[in-house]
Amino acid sequence: MRALFAERGFLEVETPSMVPSPGLDLHLDAFAVDAARPTFLITSPEYQMKRLLSGGVPRCFQLARCFRRGELGDRHNPEFTMLEWYRAFSGVDEVMSDTEAIVQRVAGALGADGAISVSGKAVQLTLPFPRISVGDAFARWAGVPADDAIALASSDEERFFRLLVDAVEPAIAALPHPVFLVDFPAPFASLARLKPGDPRVCERFELYVAGVELCNGFGELTDPVEQRARLLADQAARAARGKPVYPIDERFLGALEEGMPPAAGNALGVDRLVALCLGAASIGDVLAFPHGWL
């Protein structure tokens, strides 16, 4: 991975593991380090890496230790390795190209020759990996027209995710090749910008390989006013569900106000990728000390 990023002109960086805000994603909970002076272990190094973009670093990557409370299973560990990278003055197409190269390079380094074997099934890694929008995926595999699927994300989020988990993801898992799921409905934009020309969706993508979600990438939102509004909405949503409400990272917003260049980035689960390439059923099989062994 490091060699690939060096070839592409990236700077490897290290950012803090203890931060004043771990992010406000409704589905991620953080480990608190110091309640007296709110400090948390990172769920992602995203805020700090974007501050580097604003500070003039055009391309950066990091192999970061990340921590997420309540995540444990075949594809989750409370402490895990994340590969995260950002490209200034680039879009999601360039970052998806990086992602394809990473998967192919790691698979090759681990002995796979153009394909990996998952549960006895061959998954071809021929480039480029196909891309399908969330709307088209719902139309194809869940029997819901694309426009209706996009609208459903706003009107009935629970049903949207039930169809995603019960119909779309199993169909993607059965494919003999990886697939990028792109153009997520706007309510799931998080820190992604809305797609120019179609604000119903956002520039967000996920790569699925044999049913495993490997990454979550964005065309990055750089508007500080819109970003603050989203973070305030996230705080309200967390409070409404009785979840811990983390502070807003004012220095991150300050970096956006100073001027973050247009950019795209991605966060990829390294343990998941290694497990896939080795045909392991669980990421615990590729960790020296999975959570249950502590």
Side-chain angles (χ1 to χ4, degrees):
M1 290 181 190
R2 286 188 165 102
L4 185 146
F5 281 111
E7 292 164 10
R8 299 186 176 205
F10 282 76
L11 174 70
E12 183 172 9
V13 300
E14 291 184 347
T15 58
S17 294
M18 294 187 296
V19 295
S21 173
L24 289 161
D25 188 303
L26 184 61
H27 305 290
L28 298 181
D29 292 325
F31 290 98
V33 178
D34 185 347
R37 178 181 176 273
T39 309
F40 306 88
L41 293 176
I42 58 169
T43 58
S44 160
E46 181 166 5
Y47 290 169
Q48 287 68 37
M49 293 185 75
K50 288 182 177 178
R51 287 171 60 186
L52 292 176
L53 290 182
S54 297
V57 177
R59 297 181 184 182
C60 57
F61 81 97
Q62 180 170 190
L63 286 159
R65 301 297 288 177
C66 295
F67 307 85
R68 296 179 179 179
R69 187 161 56 86
E71 296 201 355
L72 186 62
D74 286 341
R75 299 175 186 173
H76 298 86
N77 199 67
E79 178 179 358
F80 64 98
T81 302
M82 182 93 85
L83 170 63
E84 194 149 335
W85 73 98
Y86 293 89
R87 284 178 167 267
F89 306 106
S90 298
V92 291
D93 288 337
E94 290 93 336
V95 174
M96 282 192 274
S97 178
D98 292 333
T99 307
E100 291 170 333
I102 289 162
V103 171
Q104 199 171 61
R105 180 79 64 94
V106 171
L110 294 174
D113 185 18
I116 57 176
S117 178
V118 181
S119 300
K121 182 183 72 175
V123 178
Q124 301 297 323
L125 300 180
T126 306
L127 302 185
F129 300 156
R131 303 172 188 184
I132 185 170
S133 71
V134 170
D136 288 344
F138 270 68
R140 181 174 175 181
W141 292 307
V144 178
D147 289 344
D148 292 349
I150 293 170
L152 188 63
S154 297
S155 63
D156 192 343
E157 182 177 322
E158 183 180 347
R159 181 166 179 254
F160 176 91
F161 278 111
R162 188 165 61 249
L163 288 170
L164 178 68
V165 171
D166 293 344
V168 175
E169 290 186 337
I172 289 175
L175 296 174
H177 52 73
V179 63
F180 284 109
L181 198 59
V182 304
D183 294 350
F184 278 69
F188 310 132
S190 185
L191 292 104
R193 71 172 187 158
L194 300 184
K195 189 171 183 178
D198 189 358
R200 301 175 307 154
V201 300
C202 62
E203 292 190 338
R204 175 180 173 183
F205 68 87
E206 295 180 354
L207 176 63
Y208 285 83
V209 182
V212 177
E213 177 203 326
L214 273 186
C215 70
N216 189 20
F218 302 149
E220 305 298 340
L221 177 63
T222 59
D223 182 338
V225 175
E226 183 178 351
Q227 186 63 80
R228 182 180 293 278
R230 289 192 194 178
L231 294 176
L232 289 170
D234 289 341
Q235 283 185 320
R238 292 187 67 88
R241 297 200 184 185
K243 298 172 75 71
V245 179
Y246 306 125
I248 288 175
D249 190 325
E250 292 294 342
R251 288 189 172 178
F252 164 59
L253 287 177
L256 297 187
E257 290 168 357
E258 290 174 8
M260 178 178 147
N266 197 10
L268 183 147
V270 174
D271 309 307
R272 289 184 181 185
L273 176 57
V274 173
L276 272 173
C277 292
L278 293 177
S282 166
I283 64 170
D285 295 333
V286 301
L287 299 175
F289 295 97
H291 187 70
W293 286 21
L294 299 181

